[in-house]
Amino acid sequence: MFLLAHAGLTLGFAKGLEKVLQCRGRKEYTESIDYRLVFVGSMLPDMIDKPLGGLILGDTLGNGRIYGHTLLFLLFLLIPGLYLWVKQKRSGLSVVAGGSMIHCFLDGMWHYPETFLWPGYGWSFPKGEPGDWLRLWVSLLAEPRYYIPELFGGAILILFLTKLVIHKKLSGFIISGKVKR
């Protein structure tokens, strides 16, 4: 998956969850969602792993799915995030954790247990093609199975931004991260 699928589908999931919680009378859980953090969480595993595994450790590891794509990383975000949400009514870290979980789901990390369950299978990560990770990543653009999620994610993002612009709420969203009614 790429940017549009990760960001758009995660946004769509978060908005859907918000609607379900509101319908069930749980509006207090949705009022504090900062959608800027939804976007950060949706890309956080790649923001960590692509530079680290693909560039910094590219000659030896050549793998863009390492620490940020592990269950341990998700738990590292989720446990303190839930604590802050329950004890201090601060949802920011749990929103980032949720976005990162959706990212790992969209990447199908269950197909890569050596990475997802790290360090359960040992301390090293699977090696990619050192120095060749960028060519491999760009070649995925030629695979049709990636088009559908990208198109859906892009459509969700366009609809979201269009609604903000039409209702003149884009600047408020940029400042607060909230989607006000």
Side-chain angles (χ1 to χ4, degrees):
M1 303 268 168
F2 297 104
L3 175 68
L4 296 178
H6 281 305
L9 295 176
T10 302
L11 172 66
F13 180 82
K15 290 296 289 173
L17 180 61
E18 178 183 43
K19 295 282 186 197
V20 168
L21 290 171
Q22 286 175 349
C23 287
R24 293 189 175 190
R26 301 301 209 135
K27 194 174 181 180
E28 71 275 8
Y29 290 111
T30 63
E31 289 176 342
S32 63
I33 294 177
D34 184 335
Y35 281 92
R36 297 170 304 181
L37 296 177
V38 170
F39 290 119
V40 169
S42 76
M43 293 307 299
L44 185 61
D46 282 348
M47 288 189 291
I48 294 168
D49 290 348
K50 297 298 187 231
L52 184 60
L55 293 175
I56 296 169
L57 302 173
D59 292 335
T60 57
L61 191 57
N63 185 350
R65 290 182 177 168
I66 51 176
Y67 301 106
H69 286 78
T70 65
L71 179 61
L72 186 63
F73 177 74
L74 295 176
L75 292 173
F76 178 75
L77 293 174
L78 186 63
I79 291 170
L82 289 175
Y83 175 82
L84 290 171
W85 191 12
V86 170
K87 294 291 185 185
Q88 299 177 5
K89 304 294 186 228
R90 293 173 42 205
S91 65
L93 190 57
S94 58
V95 169
V96 172
S100 294
M101 280 191 276
I102 295 169
H103 178 105
C104 288
F105 175 78
L106 291 173
D107 277 357
M109 290 310 296
W110 62 87
H111 292 297
Y112 309 97
E114 304 85 17
T115 299
F116 189 62
L117 299 176
W118 178 87
Y121 284 84
W123 289 100
S124 62
F125 287 101
K127 296 200 182 329
E129 296 291 327
D132 204 24
W133 70 273
L134 184 59
R135 183 194 59 78
L136 176 68
W137 193 63
V138 171
S139 73
L140 293 176
L141 292 172
E143 290 192 35
R145 66 183 168 146
Y146 292 101
Y147 297 165
I148 300 298
E150 292 300 315
L151 289 172
F152 274 112
I156 290 169
L157 290 171
I158 289 169
L159 289 171
F160 181 75
L161 289 172
T162 301
K163 190 173 180 180
L164 288 174
V165 169
I166 287 172
H167 296 290
K168 296 179 173 62
K169 296 185 178 189
L170 183 60
S171 61
F173 171 76
I174 292 169
I175 292 168
S176 71
K178 309 284 188 238
V179 181
K180 305 230 188 317
R181 305 255 177 265

